[in-house]
Amino acid sequence: MSRSLGSLQVGPQGLGCMGMSEFYGAGDEQESIAVIHRALELGVTLIDTADMYGPHVNEELVGRALAGRSGYVLATKFGIVREGGGRSIRGDRAYVRSSVEGSLKRLGVETIDLYYLHRVPSDTPIEETVGAMAELVTEGKVRHLGLSEAGADTLRRAHAVHPITALQSEWSLWSRDIEAEIVPTARELGIGIVPYSPLGRGVLTGRFASPADFEEGDFRAVNPRFSGENLDANLKMVAELKALAAERGVTAGQLALAWVQHRGSDVVPIPGTKRIRYLEENVAAASLELSEADLAAVEAAVPASAVAGERYPDMSSIGR
């Protein structure tokens, strides 16, 4: 069972590796490597990382985990620069080339299967960035190109320079803003869709009841959707989702993830985890069959219009 991201064939579900190194509390490298190995055993082929996770250390971890292995599709991202505690976005040709060399070295590979621009810069034309990325394809350093959190017009302009294989954007029951314009544009162009955070950064699993449940260093503690009255409102919807899941003999997370899996055969979500038990739970969701009535009930439990709070504290670089 496989799905198509443009001309790239992958398993129906990928694995997001970000949380193994940062943002969601402390990680354990050996356990994380075991998760990646178990994912490959379960038919998960798309392994996703980025140079800004850590920064850099997540690519190194993924490289160690995949060393000597085969049958995977390796995706990484560039474009978010972390310096002096701040962040900026770059897409100029020189940065594209220096970034790919760093990622190839850290990952321990000669070719990256899917190379994403992590965010769209405001000061560099997308034609320049994708043109530089296309050179990497010609040189054999990259096989396929992707964009992350790009708007519909940017997708069209990028695709006119070089075929874009995949768009990685947040898409879940509580993040549905790409559905109106961006998803139809991607499908018109034959671009596959890779939803990140398909479990709403974990809240849709029903495992969190308050900010106190987050480990030290977990960025959700300062995320608008996990704060104060926003979290209270959002957890009421999660309770509805948990009740629906219990009726069907599955977890809330599995039901939420199955909903994403049902968005289309060109959709390959990449739920992230650093625990084998959650990985196995997630993978099982890929085979859940939901009827139209089931899907309607799920959407009624978590109405997109009722979700409280922005996705990020700063949304200025999203959807350009």
Side-chain angles (χ1 to χ4, degrees):
M1 181 171 58
S2 65
R3 293 192 172 195
S4 299
L5 298 174
S7 60
L8 182 61
Q9 295 293 307
V10 297
Q13 189 180 110
L15 175 64
C17 298
M18 179 187 78
M20 297 175 178
S21 299
E22 196 179 15
F23 299 111
Y24 292 141
D28 180 287
E29 179 167 320
Q30 291 308 307
E31 186 173 12
S32 294
I33 288 174
V35 168
I36 294 172
H37 291 171
R38 180 60 176 148
L40 297 175
E41 292 172 357
L42 293 172
V44 173
T45 60
L46 180 61
I47 307 299
D48 185 90
T49 181
D51 62 2
M52 70 87 69
Y53 301 158
H56 304 321
V57 296
N58 193 247
E59 285 187 323
E60 294 170 346
L61 184 156
V62 169
R64 286 191 288 272
L66 295 178
R69 304 266 167 168
S70 60
Y72 60 81
V73 174
L74 179 57
T76 192
K77 301 177 283 293
F78 79 98
I80 298 179
V81 186
R82 297 175 63 181
E83 293 178 332
R87 299 184 189 184
S88 59
I89 301 172
R90 285 184 62 180
D92 56 280
R93 184 177 182 276
Y95 191 71
V96 172
R97 301 197 69 83
S98 65
S99 294
V100 78
E101 296 299 340
S103 289
L104 288 168
K105 182 177 180 179
R106 288 186 291 271
L107 291 164
V109 297
E110 295 183 356
T111 306
I112 294 165
D113 297 307
L114 177 56
Y115 199 44
Y116 290 101
L117 174 62
H118 206 158
R119 291 291 186 272
V120 178
S122 60
D123 59 355
T124 305
I126 193 64
E127 290 82 0
E128 176 183 336
T129 305
V130 175
M133 294 169 72
E135 293 175 5
L136 305 180
V137 177
T138 301
E139 295 167 11
K141 295 177 179 178
V142 170
R143 291 192 175 92
H144 298 269
L145 304 185
L147 302 181
S148 180
E149 291 283 8
D153 179 64
T154 299
L155 279 179
R156 292 187 187 280
R157 290 168 56 197
H159 196 70
V161 176
H162 186 280
I164 300 300
T165 293
L167 170 70
Q168 183 176 138
S169 290
E170 187 169 355
W171 196 8
S172 70
L173 278 168
W174 81 341
S175 296
R176 302 182 60 181
D177 49 302
I178 68 170
E179 293 179 357
E181 184 180 9
I182 295 172
V183 170
T185 300
R187 286 179 168 156
E188 175 192 332
L189 299 173
I191 299 171
I193 304 160
V194 178
Y196 73 84
S197 296
L199 291 169
R201 305 192 184 283
V203 74
L204 296 173
T205 65
R207 292 197 294 269
F208 303 107
S210 78
D213 293 332
F214 303 130
E215 296 180 33
E216 184 177 351
D218 192 318
F219 99 106
R220 287 173 292 196
V222 295
N223 185 285
R225 291 188 173 179
F226 292 88
S227 303
E229 294 179 354
N230 288 345
L231 181 61
D232 293 340
N234 292 331
L235 287 179
K236 290 178 181 177
M237 292 185 289
V238 174
E240 295 288 334
L241 185 67
K242 289 175 70 174
L244 278 180
E247 292 174 4
R248 290 158 177 77
V250 298
T251 68
Q254 287 177 318
L255 192 57
L257 190 49
W259 179 89
V260 180
Q261 299 274 179
H262 279 69
R263 295 305 89 198
S265 60
D266 57 352
V267 175
V268 181
I270 50 168
T273 185
K274 50 190 175 183
R275 303 282 186 266
I276 287 179
R277 62 188 171 119
Y278 295 142
L279 167 74
E280 294 174 342
E281 180 180 312
N282 291 343
V283 170
S287 59
L288 287 181
E289 292 293 334
L290 300 180
S291 67
E292 289 300 320
D294 290 330
L295 294 170
V298 170
E299 292 174 13
V302 188
S305 60
V307 177
E310 294 281 8
R311 295 195 282 128
Y312 289 99
D314 178 6
M315 293 283 289
S316 62
S317 65
I318 302 296
R320 287 178 178 155

